[in-house]
């Protein structure tokens, strides 16, 4: 069973959103992943570097079940030529995969689709009015970029921390986590306040933000507020972009996580 913020139980079987029907089997496979349910204690984070331990003991309440996956609901704005509102649902299994299913409008017409990393492959598939292809992309570059996204978004399931490798950061407020995704390492630098609040992250993520070819570019997420759901303190409001969120044209994503469930 899955625990919602109000404490109610919901069935294990989670039906994928309609616009993800092409990857419904991958959705079901990710939704079936669950943790040990072992109650979290601060001793489980005892071998982490001090900054990482400060974040984990802030993010996970004592006694919370050790979850392995999460389902997130969010609203926000995404920059597609101009800023456009969106709503989205995401299944997220750190180290394994994610499927992010969203809806927005362009020219008054609905746009539906998904980004994913599952079955060791990445894909983007978006349709205008549910029919007209707007974007379909697969291949090694899309896969590597999606793998970096998966590593960065692991912060939304903080009880997944034992699956990563942790080390000290370059300053007293930073810790570094390294995930092995699809046989490759993805390293993420987390910025943590003195009270354990997660302020943001940055990494060298594979992508093509300037349109001049794929490579590793700085990718930054700034966390403006947090939300506690079922014993997990996760990002509530965040902004993301290539370079920094202050880089001209770099910020392209603003979101608020409105609901979450963990298993």
């Amino acid at each position: 069973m899955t625990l919602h913020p109000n404490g109610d139980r919901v069935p294990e079987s989670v039906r994928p959103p309609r616009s993800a029907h092409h990857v419904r089997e991958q959705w079901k496979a990710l939704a079936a992943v669950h943790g040990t349910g072992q109650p979290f204690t601060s001793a489980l984070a005892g071998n982490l570097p001090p900054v990482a331990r400060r974040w984990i003991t802030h993010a996970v309440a004592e006694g919370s079940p050790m979850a392995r996956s999460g389902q997130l609901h969010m609203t926000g704005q995404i920059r597609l030529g101009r800023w456009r509102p969106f709503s989205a649902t995401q299944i997220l299994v750190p180290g394994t995969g994610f499927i992010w299913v969203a809806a927005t409008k362009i020219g008054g017409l609905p746009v539906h689709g998904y980004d994913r990393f599952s079955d060791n492959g990445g894909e983007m598939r978006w349709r205008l009015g549910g029919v007209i292809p707007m974007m379909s992309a697969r291949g090694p570059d899309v896969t590597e970029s999606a793998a970096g996204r998966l590593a960065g978004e692991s912060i939304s399931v903080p009880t997944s921390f034992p699956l990563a490798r942790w080390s000290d950061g370059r300053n007293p407020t930073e810790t570094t986590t390294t995930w092995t995704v699809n046989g490759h390492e993805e390293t993420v630098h987390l910025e943590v306040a003195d009270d354990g609040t997660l302020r943001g992250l940055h990494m060298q993520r594979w992508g093509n933000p300037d349109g001049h070819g794929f490579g590793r570019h700085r990718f930054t997420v700034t966390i403006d507020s947090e939300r506690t759901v079922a014993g997990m303190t996760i990002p509530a409001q965040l902004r993301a972009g290539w370079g920094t969120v202050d880089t001209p044209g770099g910020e392209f994503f603003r979101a608020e996580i409105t609901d979450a469930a963990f298993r």
Side-chain angles (χ1 to χ4, degrees):
M1 303 292 284
T2 301
L3 192 64
H4 270 301
N6 61 10
D8 293 338
R9 297 283 180 170
V10 298
E12 286 288 356
S13 57
V14 180
R15 183 174 297 177
R18 180 175 298 178
S19 52
H21 69 275
H22 287 89
V23 288
R24 58 185 176 274
E25 296 306 319
Q26 293 97 319
W27 181 283
K28 292 177 182 177
L30 292 174
V33 176
H34 56 83
T36 64
Q38 173 188 4
F40 171 79
T41 69
S42 58
L44 295 176
N47 292 327
L48 296 180
V51 178
R53 186 166 61 249
R54 188 165 73 230
W55 170 55
I56 292 298
T57 55
H58 165 80
V60 187
E62 290 279 329
S64 298
M66 291 293 288
R68 179 70 178 82
S69 65
Q71 184 166 327
L72 310 175
H73 301 274
M74 65 190 75
T75 60
Q77 293 180 304
I78 189 167
R79 186 162 55 80
L80 299 170
R82 61 177 178 83
W83 288 101
R84 304 176 190 276
F86 76 86
S87 60
T89 299
Q90 180 176 19
I91 190 79
L92 172 65
V93 184
T96 300
F98 74 87
I99 303 175
W100 184 77
V101 183
T104 185
K105 287 187 177 182
I106 294 180
L109 295 175
V111 176
H112 301 272
Y114 60 82
D115 294 347
R116 72 172 179 94
F117 180 92
S118 56
D119 286 347
N120 294 323
E123 181 186 18
M124 297 183 290
R125 181 186 175 95
W126 297 90
R127 295 291 185 269
L128 180 66
V131 178
I132 303 171
M134 285 194 61
M135 175 185 291
S136 293
R138 307 179 70 167
D141 290 322
V142 175
T143 294
E144 193 164 353
S145 183
R149 173 175 172 174
L150 175 61
E153 293 187 352
S154 66
I155 59 173
S156 291
V157 187
T159 47
S160 65
F161 73 88
L163 302 176
R165 188 172 74 251
W166 295 84
S167 59
D168 290 320
R170 291 169 289 189
N171 60 64
T173 63
E174 185 178 285
T175 188
T176 297
T177 177
T178 300
W179 291 84
T180 300
V181 181
N182 198 26
H184 299 281
E185 291 190 341
E186 296 286 346
T187 297
V188 184
H189 307 279
L190 307 183
E191 190 72 23
V192 181
D194 290 343
D195 64 355
T197 300
L198 185 60
R199 298 299 192 193
L201 64 87
H202 64 90
M203 63 186 299
Q204 291 295 314
R205 180 182 167 193
W206 191 259
N208 184 21
D210 56 10
H212 297 302
F214 279 86
R216 291 278 172 179
H217 301 268
R218 183 182 174 97
F219 184 82
T220 302
V221 176
T222 297
I223 298 170
D224 296 316
S225 67
E226 295 183 320
R227 180 187 306 277
T228 300
V229 178
M232 305 269 202
T233 298
I234 60 174
Q237 294 178 312
L238 57 88
R239 296 170 286 142
W242 295 98
T244 70
V245 293
D246 297 320
T247 300
E251 182 183 355
F252 68 88
F253 186 81
R254 302 166 180 166
E256 178 181 2
I257 297 175
T258 57
D259 195 4
F262 304 97
R263 60 166 61 82

